Amino acid sequence: IKKALEVNKIYTDQKLNINRLAQYLDWSEREVSWVINEDFNTNFNDLINHYRIKAFKEMVTKPDGKKYSIIGMAEVVGFNSKSSFYRAFKKECGQTPSEFLSSDNTHIS
């Protein structure tokens, strides 16, 4: 799972769900869910959103990121809607993406 996320960046697939990840790994959905819960101590959605938000934070620190809007960057890292991105970002970071960017908080955390 870690390789699929960190090396292959499967989280950038906007249609990624637990079934697609299970197919990618050639595991059952139950196995994927169990491993995520046990080894990552979280659920599928929160794990995927964590990787997407981390990628977003990395993207805003790079010159290439300047050519995208906030929503454009969110789409590049795998979010398929503004509302799901803002909700996930606020849940993980305690602030909106706009607040994060305007607070000069663009170091990677």
Side-chain angles (χ1 to χ4, degrees), residues 14 52 71 74-75 78-88:
Q14 290 186 349
R52 288 173 174 168
I71 299 310
E75 289 173 353
F79 286 98
N80 61 12
S81 78
K82 178 180 178 177
S83 61
S84 64
F85 170 60
Y86 271 72
R87 188 172 37 256

Side-chain angles (χ1 to χ4, degrees), residues 1 32-44 47:
I1 292 174
V32 172
S33 181
W34 187 86
V35 170
I36 290 172
N37 286 315
E38 289 295 313
D39 292 353
F40 294 91
N41 199 29
T42 191
N43 63 47
F44 172 80
L47 178 66

Side-chain angles (χ1 to χ4, degrees), residues 2-3 6 9 11 13 18 27-28 30 33 35 51 55 62 68 70 72 82 85-86 88 94 97 102:
K2 201 169 189 174
K3 181 181 177 188
E6 293 179 3
K9 301 187 184 314
Y11 59 82
D13 176 356
I18 198 162
W27 294 2
S28 71
R30 177 178 251 176
S33 181
V35 170
Y51 275 91
K62 296 190 169 131
Y68 294 99
I70 291 174
K82 178 180 178 177
F85 170 60
Y86 271 72
S102 67

